[in-house]
Amino acid sequence: MVSRLQGLYRQAEEAAEAHNAAEAALKVRQEEERRLGTDLGRARAALGVERAAAGRIAREQYQGARGLSPYARMLLTGDLRAAQDQRRLAARESARQAGILARLARGERRADVLATAARKALDAQQAGAARQKRLKDEADLRLREVERMLSALSADELARVGAREAADTAAAQRELLASGRLGAPAAARTRTPTEAGSTALAYATAQIGKPYVWGAEGPGAFDCSGLTSQAWAHAGRAIPRTSQEQWAQLPRVPLDRLRPGDLVVYFPTATHVALYVGDGKVIQAPRPGAAVKVSPIAANPLLGAVRPDPDGVPLTAYSPPALLATAAAAASASAPGGDAGYSSAEAPAAAGEEASAEGPAGPSTSAR
């Protein structure tokens, strides 16, 4: 029961993070389409000017053909100086006309290139919108499966699920701390955040107790990467929107060098993320039906950690924000699972797959 429920939770969040990524990509495509449309409009306006100038040239040449050409008039003049002046004027006019025609040709080529790019950008935007809708429908389907499963459980069954998850998380946390992967406890406790990291943590702390809603990035609700991206945005650092992109683009940091404010990433496919608080704890938006809370770092299987501000200098003195214990307790009681987020058991290695490549390790799988 616990493994199946956790697998459904993870599938729901994988679908949600895929939707978030599609939404971010769609925004980029929409901006590109708008930019290309603007450039195309400017190119067409400039092309109109050059075409008008080319039209004047054609008219002038037609009218000149009905009389003597500038070259003939130059030969027939009896004044050598005037002939030289006529020659210079003719050369200048020829260069002017050649320049207009060259600009016209370049403008036509640029307009064609921009028109093709704009069509491709529009096609990509439409394809992205269709993919976003498919992923939203997938996430909605997964969430409805979770809701159906929860509604079928009695109060006693929900309590047993919560107790089982809490026990599994406590065991995983003890194993992680005993392994030394987080470094010496005394050294870990002395690490301080940067000024930006402190600001990000203060923001995240203020969100404790707010509900998890997939695709949300505040202010009233958050999903996991919505919380981390907004926390760092409020610290003046723009980071990618999704957990996968945060893992892919931000600098990695060893677990035994974690400092408060770093991001802890979970699962082989990087589908969950939290902010490190220190002392083996994280702030996370855990899963549907739960709320932003403080959790043990081993609440989910660890993938690794990244640092949004690798160039930042740690503070010499740091007083962590008061972690709202009552809000954290209320968040723990809001859904089965306590501090636990997900298990690798029966969870797919990627959205839509049937089982994790890690095999049936069970919900007590240790952080890794």
Side-chain angles (χ1 to χ4, degrees):
M1 173 67 71
V2 172
S3 296
R4 177 58 179 158
L5 182 59
Q6 291 173 333
L8 288 173
Y9 277 133
R10 185 179 173 193
Q11 290 176 35
E13 186 159 49
E14 282 185 334
E17 286 295 280
H19 169 268
N20 291 339
E23 186 175 44
L26 178 59
K27 289 178 181 177
V28 172
R29 292 189 182 106
Q30 288 172 335
E31 180 58 34
E32 177 70 2
E33 195 274 332
R34 283 193 292 269
R35 183 186 67 78
L36 286 170
T38 300
D39 289 348
L40 179 58
R42 291 172 179 165
R44 283 174 171 165
L47 187 59
V49 172
E50 299 301 340
R51 281 175 174 162
R56 287 195 298 272
I57 291 174
R59 288 192 297 273
E60 290 169 0
Q61 290 176 340
Y62 174 76
Q63 292 167 356
R66 299 173 66 181
L68 292 175
S69 69
Y71 183 70
R73 286 196 299 271
M74 179 182 68
L75 292 177
L76 294 174
T77 182
D79 187 337
L80 180 61
R81 182 182 297 275
Q84 291 175 336
D85 290 342
Q86 286 283 346
R87 182 179 179 182
R88 282 194 296 269
L89 289 173
R92 188 181 304 168
E93 178 62 16
S94 177
R96 181 185 73 84
Q97 293 177 359
I100 290 174
L101 294 176
R103 289 195 299 273
L104 176 61
R106 287 196 301 269
E108 288 176 337
R109 289 195 298 270
R110 175 168 170 74
D112 287 343
V113 168
L114 286 172
T116 300
R119 283 194 298 271
K120 289 181 178 179
L122 181 59
D123 290 343
Q125 177 184 335
Q126 292 170 342
R131 182 172 184 270
Q132 182 189 31
K133 183 181 185 305
R134 288 196 303 272
L135 292 169
K136 182 180 185 300
D137 292 342
E138 172 69 14
D140 287 340
L141 175 62
R142 298 300 184 185
L143 289 173
R144 286 195 296 271
E145 290 180 20
V146 172
E147 291 169 357
R148 283 195 298 270
M149 190 169 186
L150 290 175
S151 64
L153 298 178
S154 67
D156 288 343
E157 288 173 325
L158 287 173
R160 285 197 296 272
V161 168
R164 170 73 181 278
E165 285 187 326
D168 291 339
T169 297
Q173 183 78 355
R174 287 193 298 270
E175 183 178 343
L176 175 65
L177 296 177
S179 72
R181 292 184 67 200
L182 295 183
R189 281 193 291 269
T190 61
R191 295 193 199 109
T192 60
T194 61
E195 183 176 354
S198 174
T199 302
L201 277 174
Y203 176 87
T205 300
Q207 313 314 313
I208 289 176
K210 292 184 178 180
Y212 178 107
V213 173
W214 78 264
E217 46 190 332
F222 296 88
D223 63 14
C224 68
S225 56
L227 177 65
T228 55
S229 60
Q230 284 299 304
W232 275 96
H234 278 74
R237 292 266 179 163
I239 65 173
R241 169 62 176 88
T242 68
S243 56
Q244 292 97 332
E245 289 303 305
Q246 290 170 12
W247 173 249
Q249 296 185 30
L250 298 178
R252 308 284 171 85
V253 57
L255 294 178
D256 61 1
R257 300 303 300 168
L258 275 174
R259 69 189 182 200
D262 288 341
L263 304 184
V264 180
V265 184
Y266 297 93
F267 297 103
T269 48
T271 49
H272 191 65
V273 65
L275 288 94
Y276 188 62
V277 177
D279 197 27
K281 299 286 195 306
V282 294
I283 295 178
Q284 63 165 336
R287 66 189 190 192
V292 177
K293 64 175 72 174
V294 179
S295 302
I297 192 174
N300 302 288
L302 275 166
L303 175 60
V306 292
R307 180 165 289 168
D309 61 339
D311 53 341
V313 178
L315 299 171
T316 55
Y318 171 65
S319 297
L323 300 176
L324 307 179
T326 55
S332 297
S334 66
D339 287 319
Y342 309 89
S343 166
S344 61
E346 296 187 19
E353 295 181 7
E354 290 299 325
S356 171
E358 298 178 8
S364 60
T365 302
S366 63
R368 51 195 179 278

